[in-house]
C-alpha cells in the first residue's frame, strides 16, 4: 500500500486490498462452524483477490515482473475487443435458444450466453446437442458451421493475434514499467522507513569532509539500496548496459561510414573543380586567341 496520501486513492491495488480486508472480516466474524452463503461468497472473493494482489506485487521483482506486466497488458488488450465478442455471442446465443428451447444449455438466456461463451473455447458438444433430430435440425447445423467459422476460427485467431502480435513492443514497455515500479517502491520505502524505528536505516555519522576527504559517508539511500540488492539481481542492468554499448558501437560504425562518404564526396568535388578550372582556362585561352586573330584581321583590313 502507498504511504503518499495524494497517490493512495489513485492506485487501483489499494482498492483491491480494501475489498480483501472487508471480505476477510465478513467471513471470519462471527466465528461459527457453519457459514452463511454471504460469508462464503465474501471468503471466496477475498481468497481470489488476495492471490491476484500477491501476483501484482511480484511485478516489482526482476524475475516475475516482466511476465506479470505482459499478462496485464495482454488482458487489457483482449478486453478492448470484448464488445465485439459479446455481440457475436449474443447473436448465436439468442438464435440457438429459439432453435433448441428444450436443450438444457439453451433453455434460458443467461445459461444460453454462458453455453455459447464456452463453445467459443472449443467445447461444442457436437454429438449431444446438434445431432439430435428435429424439425429445425438443418438450420441448427447451419448455425453451427457459421459459429465455427466466425467465432471459433476468426475471432479466436483475432484474439490470439492481438495477444502475441506485438510481443516485442509489449516486452520493451514491460521492462520500462518494471523499472518504474522498482524505483517507486524503493523511493516510497526510503521516504517512509523512518516512521518505523525497527526498520529505520542507521544514522549518518557526523564526519567533516575537509578532515576526512577520502572517507565515504554512508547515507540512508545507499543503505536501503544495498538491502534491496539482496532481492533484485543486476542481470537486467548488465543486459541494458550491453545493449547501450552495442548501440554506441553501431553509432560509431555509422559515423565512420558517414565520414568516409563525406571524404569521398569532398575528393570528388575537388577533382571536378580542378577539371572545371582547367576547362575554363582552356576556353579562356581559346577566346583570347580568337580575339587576337580578329584584332589582327581588322588591322590588316584597315591598312589595305
Amino acid at each position: 500500500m502507498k504511504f503518499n496520501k495524494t497517490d493512495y486513492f489513485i492506485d487501483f491495488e489499494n482498492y483491491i486490498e480494501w475489498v480483501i480486508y472487508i471480505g476477510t472480516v465478513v467471513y471470519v466474524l462471527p466465528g461459527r462452524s457453519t457459514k452463511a452463503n454471504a460469508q462464503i461468497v465474501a471468503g471466496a472473493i477475498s481468497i481470489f483477490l488476495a492471490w491476484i494482489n500477491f501476483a501484482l506485487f511480484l511485478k516489482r521483482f526482476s524475475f516475475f515482473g516482466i511476465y506479470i506486466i505482459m499478462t496485464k497488458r495482454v488482458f487489457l488488450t483482449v478486453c478492448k475487443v470484448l464488445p465485439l465478442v459479446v455481440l457475436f455471442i449474443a447473436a448465436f446465443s439468442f438464435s440457438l435458444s429459439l432453435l433448441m428451447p428444450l436443450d438444457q444449455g439453451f433453455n434460458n438466456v443467461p445459461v444460453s450466453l454462458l453455453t455459447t461463451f464456452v463453445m467459443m473455447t472449443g467445447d461444442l458438444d457436437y454429438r449431444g446437442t446438434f445431432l439430435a433430430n428435429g424439425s429445425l435440425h438443418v438450420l441448427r447445423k447451419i448455425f453451427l458451421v457459421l459459429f465455427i467459422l466466425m467465432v471459433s476460427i476468426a475471432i479466436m485467431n483475432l484474439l490470439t493475434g492481438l495477444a502475441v502480435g506485438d510481443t516485442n513492443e509489449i516486452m520493451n514497455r514491460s521492462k520500462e514499467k518494471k523499472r518504474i515500479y522498482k524505483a517507486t517502491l524503493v523511493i516510497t520505502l526510503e521516504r517512509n522507513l523512518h516512521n518505523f524505528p525497527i526498520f529505520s536505516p542507521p544514522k549518518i555519522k557526523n564526519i567533516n569532509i575537509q578532515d576526512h576527504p577520502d572517507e565515504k559517508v554512508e547515507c540512508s539511500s545507499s543503505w536501503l539500496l544495498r538491502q534491496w540488492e539482496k532481492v533484485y539481481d543486476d542481470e537486467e542492468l548488465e543486459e541494458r548496459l550491453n545493449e547501450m554499448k552495442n548501440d554506441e558501437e553501431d553509432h560509431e560504425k555509422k559515423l565512420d561510414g558517414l565520414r568516409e562518404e563525406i571524404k569521398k564526396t569532398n575528393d570528388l568535388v575537388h577533382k571536378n573543380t580542378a577539371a572545371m578550372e582547367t576547362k575554363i582556362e582552356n576556353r579562356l585561352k581559346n577566346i583570347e586567341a580568337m580575339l587576337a586573330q580578329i584584332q589582327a584581321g581588322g588591322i590588316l583590313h584597315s591598312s589595305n
Side-chain angles (χ1 to χ4, degrees):
M1 297 176 67
K2 292 189 175 182
F3 294 92
N4 196 341
K5 296 180 181 179
T6 58
D7 296 335
Y8 181 83
F9 296 99
I10 301 176
D11 191 3
F12 181 73
E13 296 180 17
N14 293 323
Y15 295 99
I16 295 178
E17 292 182 2
W18 274 108
V19 174
I20 294 172
Y21 300 151
I22 296 173
T24 304
V25 172
V26 171
Y27 180 78
V28 173
L29 299 177
R32 299 175 182 176
S33 58
T34 59
K35 301 293 183 180
N37 291 333
Q39 290 180 295
I40 295 175
V41 171
I45 294 175
S46 299
I47 293 174
F48 173 76
L49 292 180
W51 283 101
I52 296 297
N53 188 46
F54 178 67
L56 293 176
F57 178 78
L58 292 178
K59 67 187 177 184
R60 298 171 176 86
F61 294 86
S62 299
F63 182 75
F64 302 100
I66 186 170
Y67 303 107
I68 294 174
I69 296 173
M70 288 181 65
T71 303
K72 180 181 177 181
R73 289 186 59 85
V74 170
F75 175 74
L76 294 177
T77 303
V78 172
C79 288
K80 294 179 181 179
V81 194
L82 278 182
L84 176 63
V85 178
V86 170
L87 292 178
F88 281 93
I89 290 176
F92 284 99
S93 175
F94 297 152
S95 300
L96 294 175
S97 296
L98 292 176
L99 294 175
M100 296 180 290
L102 300 179
D103 190 275
Q104 187 177 2
F106 298 96
N107 55 6
N108 58 69
V109 174
V111 175
S112 179
L113 291 172
L114 180 60
T115 303
T116 309
F117 184 77
V118 174
M119 288 171 58
M120 186 179 68
T121 62
D123 187 9
L124 297 176
D125 192 14
Y126 172 72
R127 294 183 178 180
T129 304
F130 293 94
L131 285 184
N133 294 325
S135 59
L136 300 174
H137 65 93
V138 177
L139 187 58
R140 289 202 298 264
K141 292 178 176 60
I142 293 175
F143 271 99
L144 175 62
V145 173
L146 291 176
F147 181 85
I148 293 173
L149 294 176
M150 297 176 65
V151 179
S152 297
I153 296 178
I155 293 182
M156 291 303 295
N157 285 328
L158 172 63
L159 295 177
T160 304
L162 291 175
V164 301
D166 51 351
T167 306
N168 294 329
E169 182 180 358
I170 293 176
M171 179 74 73
N172 295 330
R173 292 185 179 181
S174 300
K175 288 181 179 180
E176 298 298 330
K177 277 284 188 181
K178 188 185 66 174
R179 296 189 187 99
I180 293 173
Y181 287 134
K182 288 169 62 175
T184 304
L185 178 63
V186 173
I187 292 172
T188 303
L189 288 174
E190 185 180 15
R191 289 178 178 176
N192 299 277
L193 205 59
H194 65 275
N195 295 326
F196 305 94
I198 299 176
F199 302 101
S200 60
K203 295 181 179 180
I204 301 174
K205 296 186 297 182
N206 294 325
I207 298 176
N208 191 351
I209 299 178
Q210 296 179 355
D211 298 335
H212 305 276
D214 298 330
E215 186 171 354
K216 295 182 179 180
V217 180
E218 183 179 7
C219 59
S220 61
S221 60
S222 62
W223 176 86
L224 186 62
L225 289 176
R226 284 201 305 273
Q227 304 307 312
W228 281 100
E229 283 177 357
K230 300 176 183 178
V231 181
Y232 299 120
D233 53 15
D234 295 332
E235 294 180 358
E236 181 184 350
L237 181 59
E238 293 179 358
E239 180 182 356
R240 183 61 177 171
L241 291 175
N242 291 331
E243 291 178 358
M244 294 175 63
K245 184 178 179 180
N246 295 331
D247 293 340
E248 185 177 358
E249 292 177 355
D250 293 338
H251 289 310
E252 288 294 333
K253 291 180 181 179
K254 291 180 181 179
L255 288 175
D256 293 338
L258 183 60
R259 294 190 189 98
E260 188 68 24
E261 291 294 330
I262 293 174
K263 184 178 179 181
K264 291 180 180 179
T265 304
N266 290 331
D267 295 339
L268 183 61
V269 169
H270 289 312
K271 291 180 181 179
N272 292 333
T273 303
M276 290 296 294
E277 290 178 354
T278 304
K279 290 182 180 180
I280 292 172
E281 290 178 357
N282 294 332
R283 291 287 180 87
L284 290 175
K285 290 179 180 179
N286 293 332
I287 292 171
E288 290 176 355
M290 292 174 65
L291 289 174
Q293 292 178 0
I294 292 171
Q295 290 177 357
I299 294 172
L300 292 174
H301 181 72
S302 61
S303 62
N304 292 330

